């Protein structure tokens, strides 16, 4: 069996879903089709959660109305009846929580944001069935069992493997299964999410549990490129990467795959293909254990909206020895994503993605250290760098911090 993953951009309109149908039709193997929320739905749902906690019910109502209309319009262009395809619980979820102003943000977030994937998969599965491809819709909150760390839930691998395998070995299962990416559920039935862009990770987990032959991520780019085509005019396709390089790229901020995706695949030596959904005949990029050719071009990865936090011990004690555990405990509790770490005798600097919990983290750190920080920075990572490249990159840029290893250069940039 194989696993296909379609991200939000590939199902952002009815034509996208029709294209998905063509790709699924051409596959001869048994398939699990993992689907993200349509287009920018996850962002829209995040904004609805924000409106709920602000107590702005008018905004909740109007934003939800708009989001529902977007889905209704896609469904109707596909001849799918949205009220038959999607359960009342899912369709009514946002309005049922519209005055949950005092609910815990993270818990509310997962309940509501997961609605995006529940809607997209219901529409896709209904459409495939209507088009003669018999498919079963899996409800991942019942199959992918996680802990209750909302917004960044940890997957219980053995429990989830058992549930997914049981569902797969159902004798009545058709050849095609449709499953939500990004969402899971706790033992006690709470919906959870795995972290933004987590659908790739879901695809990798299902592949791991079912010993898939391969995973294919269908994307709106030709494969993994050596730079972001929106920022660089001349980009090159990287035809092959090993798992290690793929993790490095993903962690550095390459938006093509979620960093957690690689491990479940590497563990079972399952290859990952990144291919363009608009040109299914092209081979894209393959990630596997031993590529035949090393990457021959420098790779540029930008990670935006970074915050550089520097902590200095108030009493000149050595920050490293005394405080690492404490600092990282705060970072973990506030769910900050660290992109770079640097230390000196009495300071430690961490670069993190900006997030809603940043002010809280700064306050907690400020109780123990003299804390300074800069916002709106970018982190540029160059893999396979050369002295000439290093020089040109540093021209006309305000570089706050740099880190060099033999093959990789990282710059925290202020402009
Ligand atoms: N829909 C989720 C997001 O946009 C998950 C994903 O797309 O992978 O973050
Ligand atoms: Mg998405």
């Amino acid at each position: 069996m194989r696993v296909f993953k379609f991200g939000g951009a590939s199902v952002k309109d009815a034509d996208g879903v029709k294209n998905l149908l063509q790709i699924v039709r051409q596959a001869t193997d048994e398939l699990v089709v993992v689907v993200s929320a349509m287009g920018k739905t996850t962002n829209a749902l995040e904004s609805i959660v924000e409106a709920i906690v602000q107590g702005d019910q008018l905004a909740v109502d109007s934003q939800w109305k708009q989001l529902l209309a977007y889905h209704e319009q896609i469904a109707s262009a596909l001849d799918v009846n949205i009220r038959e395809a999607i359960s009342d619980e899912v369709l009514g979820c946002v309005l049922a929580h519209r005055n949950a102003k005092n609910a815990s943000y993270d818990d509310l977030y997962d309940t509501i944001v997961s609605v995006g994937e529940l809607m997209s998969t219901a529409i896709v599965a209904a459409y495939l069935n209507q088009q003669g491809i018999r498919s079963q819709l899996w409800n991942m909150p019942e199959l992918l069992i996680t802990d209750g760390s909302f917004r960044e839930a940890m997957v219980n691998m053995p429990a989830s493997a058992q549930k997914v395998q049981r569902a797969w070995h159902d004798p009545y299962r058709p050849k095609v299964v449709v499953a939500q990416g990004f969402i899971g559920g706790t033992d006690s039935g709470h919906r959870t999410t795995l972290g933004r862009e987590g659908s790739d990770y879901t695809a990798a987990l299902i592949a791991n549990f079912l010993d898939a032959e391969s995973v294919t991520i269908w994307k709106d780019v030709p494969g993994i490129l050596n730079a972001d085509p929106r920022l660089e005019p001349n980009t090159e396709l990287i035809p092959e990467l090993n798992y290690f390089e793929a993790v490095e790229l993903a962690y550095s901020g390459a938006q093509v795959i979620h960093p957690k995706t690689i491990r479940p695949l590497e563990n079972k030596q399952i290859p990952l293909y990144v291919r363009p959904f608009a040109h299914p005949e092209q081979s894209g990029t393959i990630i596997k254990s031993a590529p035949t050719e090393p990457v021959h071009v420098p790779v540029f990865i930008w990670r935006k909206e970074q915050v550089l936090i520097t902590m200095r011990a108030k009493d000149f004690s050595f920050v490293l020895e005394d405080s690492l555990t404490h600092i990282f405990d705060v970072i973990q509790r506030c769910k900050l994503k660290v992109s770079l770490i640097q230390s000196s005798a009495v300071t430690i600097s961490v670069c993190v993605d900006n997030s809603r919990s940043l002010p809280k983290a700064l306050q907690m750190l400020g109780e123990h250290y003299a804390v300074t920080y800069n916002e709106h920075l970018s982190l540029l990572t160059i893999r396979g760098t050369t002295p000439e490249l290093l020089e040109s990159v540093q021209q006309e840029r305000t570089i706050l911090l740099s880190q060099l290893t033999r093959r990789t250069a990282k710059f925290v940039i202020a402009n």
Side-chain angles (χ1 to χ4, degrees):
M1 58 86 52
R2 293 194 284 159
V3 179
F4 280 2
K5 183 260 173 172
F6 291 87
S10 61
V11 290
K12 69 175 196 304
D13 51 24
D15 283 346
V17 181
K18 289 180 184 167
N19 185 54
L20 175 153
L21 168 79
Q22 294 313 324
I23 292 176
V24 168
R25 225 194 252 297
Q26 275 160 27
T28 48
D29 313 80
E30 297 186 294
L31 283 185
V32 176
V33 181
V34 174
V35 183
S36 301
M38 292 173 156
K40 303 269 178 237
T41 297
T42 305
N43 292 351
L45 287 164
E46 279 188 344
S47 143
I48 288 176
V49 176
E50 210 53 61
I52 293 176
V53 297
Q54 302 292 336
D56 188 349
Q57 297 192 354
L58 282 179
V60 176
D61 294 350
S62 79
Q63 289 179 33
W64 170 244
K65 201 169 143 203
Q66 208 179 337
L67 192 60
L68 191 58
Y70 165 64
H71 284 82
E72 269 169 344
Q73 174 237 323
I74 295 176
S76 90
L78 299 168
D79 240 339
V80 165
N81 182 331
I82 203 168
R83 315 225 163 240
E84 278 171 22
I86 307 179
S87 76
D88 291 345
E89 190 273 316
V90 172
L91 284 177
C93 179
V94 167
L95 295 183
H97 291 87
R98 67 195 284 273
N99 46 24
K101 193 177 167 185
N102 298 320
S104 123
Y105 177 84
D106 289 356
D107 184 349
L108 184 69
Y109 179 102
D110 281 9
T111 303
I112 287 186
V113 166
S114 52
V115 162
E117 269 71 12
L118 291 167
M119 293 201 291
S120 67
T121 48
I123 294 172
V124 167
Y127 179 65
L128 292 180
N129 279 312
Q130 178 227 87
Q131 292 293 311
I133 297 193
R134 270 213 325 123
S135 62
Q136 189 177 62
L137 178 61
W138 279 1
N139 186 33
M140 293 313 282
E142 286 168 11
L143 298 180
L144 197 69
I145 305 306
T146 71
D147 68 2
S149 27
F150 297 111
R151 293 176 64 203
E152 196 72 48
M154 293 274 292
V155 176
N156 178 333
M157 297 287 283
S160 304
Q162 199 186 30
K163 298 222 179 223
V164 167
Q165 285 158 4
R166 187 173 304 158
W168 184 250
H169 293 119
D170 166 8
Y172 299 105
R173 171 187 56 77
K175 217 176 89 182
V176 175
V177 165
V178 177
Q180 302 88 34
F182 175 56
I183 71 174
T186 63
D187 263 339
S188 53
H190 266 77
R191 290 203 291 265
T192 53
T193 64
L194 307 179
R196 285 302 306 265
E197 306 301 330
S199 295
D200 298 345
Y201 181 41
T202 304
L205 289 169
I206 292 176
N208 176 296
F209 300 153
L210 301 178
D211 288 307
E213 199 175 298
S214 66
V215 174
T216 305
I217 298 182
W218 295 96
K219 293 215 55 123
D220 54 355
V221 286
I224 298 187
L225 305 172
N226 75 322
D228 184 338
R230 288 164 301 185
L231 305 172
E232 291 284 328
N234 301 312
T235 54
E236 275 188 57
L237 178 75
I238 305 175
E240 296 189 347
L241 275 175
N242 65 31
Y243 293 117
F244 176 75
E245 282 169 317
V247 170
E248 286 284 333
L249 296 191
Y251 176 76
S252 303
Q255 302 242 310
V256 271
I257 36 172
H258 189 281
K260 283 188 183 167
T261 311
I262 302 299
R263 184 166 167 214
L265 299 178
E266 194 277 337
N267 287 353
K268 294 239 172 134
Q269 298 289 301
I270 298 168
L272 170 65
Y273 296 88
V274 180
R275 297 175 62 185
F277 61 72
H279 299 281
E281 72 290 351
Q282 293 178 10
S283 53
T285 298
I286 172 168
I287 298 165
K288 58 182 182 180
S289 59
T292 38
E293 260 184 64
V295 182
H296 59 283
V297 285
V299 181
F300 294 79
I301 308 137
W302 288 90
R303 191 157 159 161
K304 301 279 186 188
E305 280 307 318
Q306 299 295 295
V307 181
L308 181 65
I309 309 173
T310 299
M311 287 143 282
R312 178 184 294 277
K314 285 178 173 165
D315 56 1
F316 275 82
S317 61
F318 295 115
V319 168
L320 263 191
E321 275 124 58
D322 303 333
S323 324
L324 266 188
T325 329
H326 173 244
I327 290 173
F328 282 94
D329 184 52
V330 172
I331 285 174
Q332 199 200 5
R333 276 198 277 154
C334 295
K335 297 183 177 146
L336 296 183
K337 290 233 184 297
V338 177
S339 50
L340 178 143
I341 303 165
Q342 189 145 300
S343 66
S344 75
V346 292
T347 69
I348 176 161
S349 298
V350 291
C351 202
V352 299
D353 293 351
N354 202 346
S355 84
R356 195 175 188 278
S357 51
L358 182 71
K360 164 131 175 284
L362 290 172
Q363 183 227 321
M364 286 166 78
L365 294 168
E367 286 165 16
H368 300 268
Y369 315 100
V371 176
T372 52
Y373 66 98
N374 292 72
E375 289 178 291
H376 308 302
L377 309 175
S378 302
L379 174 66
L380 170 63
T381 302
I382 310 175
R383 306 256 312 151
T385 187
T386 60
E388 298 77 48
L389 252 178
L390 284 184
E391 213 185 285
S392 78
V393 163
Q394 295 182 70
Q395 276 166 16
E396 294 167 29
R397 288 200 168 98
T398 312
I399 295 184
L400 301 187
L401 194 155
S402 58
Q403 246 177 25
L404 271 180
T405 59
R406 204 151 50 94
R407 290 207 58 221
T408 305
K410 287 184 184 280
F411 301 103
V412 179
I413 299 173
N415 53 349

